Amino acid sequence: MGYHVPVMVREVIEGLVVDPDGTYMDATAGGGGHSEALLHALGEQGHLIAVDRDWEAVEASQERLSTDARAVVWQGSFAELGGLLAEQGGGALSGVLFDLGVSSHQIDVPGRGFSYREDGPLDMRMDPAAGQSAADLLAVCSEIELAELIKRYGEERQARRIARAICRQRQLEPMRTTQGLRRVVAATQPQMLNKTLARVFQALRIAVNDELGALDALLEGAARVLMPGGRLAAN
Ligand SMILES: C[S@@+](CC[C@H](N)C(=O)[O-])C[C@H]1O[C@@H](n2cnc3c(N)ncnc32)[C@H](O)[C@@H]1O
């Protein structure tokens, strides 16, 4: 199975590449699909920096891009874009690409805990070495915080009911697995179970990875690392 099938590749490349000999950053490299297409569009003097927070994505991208001397792959968060560039001695960029969300690989591997369809540890960290897992988050949030989080990041109307059910269940035993969470959500009898599960899992993923905080930091950071006339593409 492939790591991830990149979407809107032609549109992204056409919109992003203003100077084929410039330096570009793919800030969410994943399996390196967009990165590879970017390299095809660049000239001999062009450079690509591929970044991902997830070590598995870094390895997949390294494998895919390693034969091209114009590419380097770094592990890190796009929230620290400026710091990453300064640390590695990189200059101003002609363009930065963000393909936000999760990769198919992250969803497909049960051990990552992103999928409500498979059983696995309730982890959901893009970088499993950093921060608290979804299980840790569920253990420490108050019922009100949990309801707010599910409502805000998942846009789930039954957020309060689901938060109450989670808090009741965790008094009996810690919630450690995706299927444990699935059972609790199912017990609240939502009309469309899979849609509700998708919203609850999305909400937890966004909270665990502080995705909105990272996005704010990235927008601020990108303005500082782009050269005049440089472009930012978001997918
Ligand atoms: C939709 S996938 C990108 C797929 C990629 N365009 C490809 O062609 O395979 C999103 C990627 O963003 C990464 N990601 C999410 N938040 C990140 C962050 N703050 N910094 C860097 N990478 C991040 C995820 O680990 C995931 O690999």
Side-chain angles (χ1 to χ4, degrees):
M1 202 185 309
Y3 194 97
H4 182 88
V5 178
V7 294
M8 297 182 71
V9 176
R10 189 172 51 81
E11 292 85 347
V12 164
I13 304 302
E14 277 176 12
L16 187 65
V17 179
V18 279
D19 168 14
D21 289 327
T23 299
Y24 292 81
M25 178 182 278
D26 178 353
T28 52
H34 281 108
S35 286
E36 192 175 68
L38 256 166
L39 284 167
H40 282 141
L42 296 187
E44 276 178 24
Q45 304 304 315
H47 284 99
L48 172 75
I49 303 164
V51 176
D52 204 290
R53 200 173 185 178
D54 184 335
W55 280 104
E56 289 180 4
V58 169
E59 276 171 24
S61 292
Q62 264 163 351
E63 207 176 304
R64 191 162 184 172
L65 310 172
S66 63
T67 53
D68 196 319
R70 298 169 302 165
V72 289
V73 185
W74 299 343
Q75 191 275 342
S77 170
F78 57 60
E80 286 125 37
L81 201 59
L84 269 178
L85 268 175
E87 203 178 286
Q88 308 278 349
L93 302 173
S94 297
V96 184
L97 165 64
F98 302 97
D99 182 16
L100 301 167
V102 267
S103 67
S104 323
H105 175 82
Q106 287 166 328
I107 294 280
D108 290 343
V109 175
R112 302 299 302 270
F114 287 105
S115 172
Y116 61 83
R117 294 180 194 278
E118 309 284 345
D119 199 11
L122 207 44
D123 192 312
M124 298 197 196
R125 285 171 295 178
M126 303 268 179
D127 175 1
Q132 60 180 1
S133 68
D136 294 338
L137 187 72
L138 286 184
V140 297
C141 272
S142 70
E143 187 178 319
I144 292 172
E145 286 167 338
L146 205 49
E148 180 59 26
L149 178 163
I150 295 171
K151 189 165 170 224
R152 183 182 302 171
Y153 299 148
E155 297 181 359
E156 169 54 48
R157 284 176 19 190
Q158 298 301 324
R160 284 177 62 181
R161 182 147 45 135
I162 293 168
R164 197 175 314 129
I166 290 172
C167 290
R168 268 200 205 127
Q169 180 60 29
R170 78 179 180 196
Q171 285 177 337
L172 304 176
E173 57 176 348
M175 199 160 303
R176 295 248 147 247
T177 66
T178 54
Q179 294 313 289
L181 177 57
R182 183 190 173 110
R183 280 191 292 278
V184 173
V185 174
T188 65
Q189 300 189 321
Q191 279 181 342
M192 311 260 244
L193 176 59
N194 281 352
K195 288 199 169 152
T196 303
L197 284 166
R199 288 194 284 264
V200 171
F201 273 64
Q202 171 186 294
L204 283 173
R205 191 202 82 216
I206 290 175
V208 163
N209 295 290
D210 185 23
E211 291 185 26
L212 299 190
L215 206 53
D216 279 347
L218 123 77
L219 291 175
E220 212 185 292
R224 277 187 267 115
V225 300
L226 280 175
M227 55 175 47
R231 294 201 173 168
L232 180 71
N235 218 8

